[in-house]
Amino acid sequence: MGLLTFKGGVHPYDGKDLSKDKPIKSVSPKGDLVYLLSQHIGAPAKPLVAKGDRVLVGQKIAEPGGFVSAPVHASVSGTVKAIEPHLTVTGAMVPAIVVENDQKYEEVEFSSVEKVEDLTKEEVIKRIQEAGVVGMGGAGFPTHVKLSPKEPDKIEYVLINGAECEPYLTSDYRRMMEEPQLVVAGLKTILYLFDHAKGFICIEDNKPDCIKKMEELVKNEPRIEVKALQTKYPQGAERSLIYATTGREVNSGMLPADAGCVVDNSDTAVAVYKAVVLGRPLIHKVVTVTGDAIASPQNFAVCTGMIYEELVEEAGGFKQEPAKIISGGPMMGQSLYSMQAPVTKSSSALLCLTKDEVSASAETACINCGRCVTVCPARLVPSRLATYADHQNEEAFVKWEGMECVACGCCSFTCPAKRHLTQSIKSMRMMVLNNRKKNG
């Protein structure tokens, strides 16, 4: 049987050799910790502490602001220094709790259980919610919501996304290589919630050692299989992954649950296990610090709230002044506005490059080559959609299915005219969504 994949996609330089063989290194923050109250999709969390309060590792310092929300926990012990707006990676200002680290790392008492089966399904969901677990692959969707579909009996597949198709990123790979048993334990925890589901651990074939290790671990697990995927971007995108492994299609008007699927990142699966069995909240994240401007590319296990600038110092600093710094990968990451932005639950990488190829490329007129159409995983016509977007033609944009764009960046990557197709389409999608919200 051939490798599983989807239609479209591209093959950018992956840059993974810089950090893939570097074991995860635990680092401790030196300065203050900044906990953004918006680290997830949905309503911001609400502070439970005040300036001057002392907090402990694992203490809940902010409660959910609604059902689609998540609490925030302290990753160090110390004193609340301020509750004030703070910069995000995009340059926006959002409320945050600033904690002065006392370097003692005194913890609250965590409530563990011997095995998942000792809990009811409702208790499992509650422990995931209380631990503040969100999607750690980038979107930050609260996991307790994802694992609470209206009809749980109709969930047939639980997909663990270990594709890590974004160039340069290797944090998920290192997690699967160093702690594969925790990934499997997390998947088994999720499967406990869905009686009729089968679990797939999905890994691109550029990680053969990881595939082999996982296959050995699950060979006696009747409900779990390892699925080898063709190495192609964006293989790890939710819709692409579902299509590649199940043949089912999901559009913008659907949730994965509507196709009988639940998709969670491999790191999220580990967080689920730790939340349910160990009773530990999500307060640590594995982050890849890499790029040709970094002296010693590494994978770090860091406290949430740690400032990006400290991660660069841990990686030996810059060996050359970067022309571009990105939070995340080069295809879907955000250009970093300030090195004072903090690590959040969904932070995946800090990419520092000596060349800014996008800014250096002059945009020219479309030559109607159709390359953007052939690589689009959503099977759209990006060149036309971008033109509609640039002319603010909302009606035509919607008619030509512009809302189905997943903002993967394949069209911009392949465009010989260097048009900023993804950016134009993404901006227009936001405008359409805002207009729909205004109009009820």
Side-chain angles (χ1 to χ4, degrees):
M1 183 177 175
L3 292 166
L4 302 173
T5 192
F6 61 99
K7 296 178 181 178
V10 294
H11 295 86
Y13 166 68
D14 73 5
K16 294 182 185 289
D17 285 345
L18 291 172
S19 60
K20 75 180 185 67
D21 296 324
K22 304 287 182 67
I24 297 170
K25 177 184 176 184
S26 294
V27 296
S28 299
K30 299 180 179 65
D32 295 341
L33 283 294
V34 178
Y35 302 100
L36 303 181
L37 298 181
S38 296
Q39 297 189 41
H40 49 263
I41 289 175
K46 299 177 180 178
L48 291 172
V49 293
K51 183 178 178 181
D53 288 352
R54 186 160 191 273
V55 299
L56 303 176
V57 174
Q59 180 179 330
K60 187 194 295 185
I61 57 176
E63 63 182 351
F67 178 65
V68 183
S69 185
V72 177
H73 300 77
S75 56
V76 299
S77 58
T79 304
V80 177
K81 197 173 180 179
I83 299 177
E84 60 189 14
H86 199 279
L87 279 170
T88 68
V89 294
T90 61
M93 298 290 286
V94 302
I97 298 171
V98 182
V99 173
E100 185 177 1
N101 185 4
D102 65 10
Q103 303 294 333
K104 294 180 180 178
Y105 296 95
E106 296 175 342
E107 298 183 341
V108 298
E109 186 175 342
F110 299 112
S111 173
S112 63
V113 296
E114 197 165 313
K115 56 184 186 297
V116 178
E117 290 76 14
D118 291 338
L119 302 168
T120 66
K121 292 179 181 180
E122 291 74 19
E123 287 171 335
V124 168
I125 294 292
K126 186 65 176 175
R127 286 172 80 89
I128 292 169
Q129 182 179 19
E130 282 297 308
V133 180
V134 304
M136 297 163 75
F141 192 82
T143 302
H144 73 278
V145 180
K146 183 181 287 189
L147 299 182
S148 305
K150 292 181 180 178
E151 300 178 286
D153 287 343
K154 291 187 177 181
I155 299 299
E156 298 177 69
Y157 302 103
V158 175
L159 311 180
I160 297 301
N161 185 356
E164 199 164 47
C165 62
E166 182 82 41
Y168 289 94
L169 275 60
T170 58
S171 56
D172 284 348
Y173 167 73
R174 290 310 315 175
R175 173 73 89 180
M176 290 187 290
M177 286 298 294
E178 296 179 43
E179 297 181 308
Q181 72 282 359
L182 295 186
V183 177
V184 174
L187 173 54
K188 291 170 74 173
T189 303
I190 297 170
L191 286 172
Y192 176 67
L193 300 171
F194 304 109
D195 297 332
H196 308 298
K198 189 158 191 174
F200 293 159
I201 300 175
C202 310
I203 307 171
E204 283 191 329
D205 69 328
N206 62 353
K207 308 172 185 67
D209 48 355
C210 192
I211 292 173
K212 183 179 179 181
K213 181 168 286 197
M214 284 294 184
E215 286 178 336
E216 181 64 26
L217 265 179
V218 304
K219 64 182 180 181
N220 296 319
E221 298 286 349
R223 295 181 66 190
I224 300 177
E225 291 181 27
V226 176
K227 294 291 185 180
L229 309 171
Q230 181 181 330
T231 299
K232 183 170 61 169
Y233 178 86
Q235 188 70 261
E238 197 167 63
R239 295 186 204 175
S240 301
L241 194 68
I242 291 172
Y243 181 81
T245 53
T246 71
R248 300 178 181 184
E249 296 190 0
V250 177
N251 61 38
S252 63
M254 299 170 63
L255 294 171
D258 297 326
C261 298
V262 167
V263 182
D264 270 315
N265 168 267
S266 56
D267 216 12
T268 308
V270 174
V272 165
Y273 168 76
K274 289 182 176 180
V276 175
V277 177
L278 305 182
R280 300 189 71 91
L282 176 49
I283 55 176
H284 294 98
K285 188 74 178 72
V286 181
V287 178
T288 304
V289 180
T290 187
D292 60 354
I294 291 290
S296 180
Q298 299 266 342
N299 289 287
F300 295 120
V302 306
C303 294
T304 53
M306 191 170 172
I307 301 301
Y308 273 123
E309 187 175 53
E310 291 189 35
L311 296 186
V312 173
E313 293 173 6
E314 291 286 348
F318 298 126
K319 64 179 181 182
Q320 187 176 335
E321 193 64 28
K324 188 84 166 181
I325 302 178
I326 300 170
S327 175
M331 299 299 286
M332 293 189 72
Q334 300 270 6
S335 292
L336 196 65
Y337 184 84
S338 168
M339 292 290 286
Q340 294 303 308
V343 171
T344 66
K345 298 176 185 182
S346 58
S347 297
S348 58
L350 185 65
L351 175 59
C352 305
L353 302 172
T354 57
K355 294 180 181 178
D356 185 352
E357 295 182 8
V358 174
S359 298
S361 302
E363 189 174 2
T364 59
C366 175
I367 60 174
N368 296 309
C369 64
R371 292 185 194 176
C372 61
V373 179
T374 62
V375 301
C376 178
R379 303 173 213 173
L380 305 175
V381 185
S383 56
R384 180 168 292 182
L385 289 172
T387 298
Y388 291 145
D390 291 342
H391 289 86
Q392 303 288 297
N393 190 339
E394 183 175 339
E395 182 180 353
F397 180 85
V398 173
K399 180 180 178 180
W400 281 82
E401 305 291 349
M403 300 308 288
E404 295 302 316
C405 173
V406 295
C408 65
C410 288
C411 53
S412 296
F413 174 80
T414 199
C415 178
K418 306 300 181 186
R419 294 182 69 196
H420 300 160
L421 301 170
T422 305
Q423 292 86 337
S424 293
I425 296 170
K426 188 175 180 180
S427 296
M428 189 64 181
R429 284 184 76 254
M430 290 179 65
M431 190 179 89
V432 172
L433 289 172
N434 287 335
N435 287 342
R436 287 178 178 177
K437 189 175 181 179
K438 287 178 185 176
N439 297 327

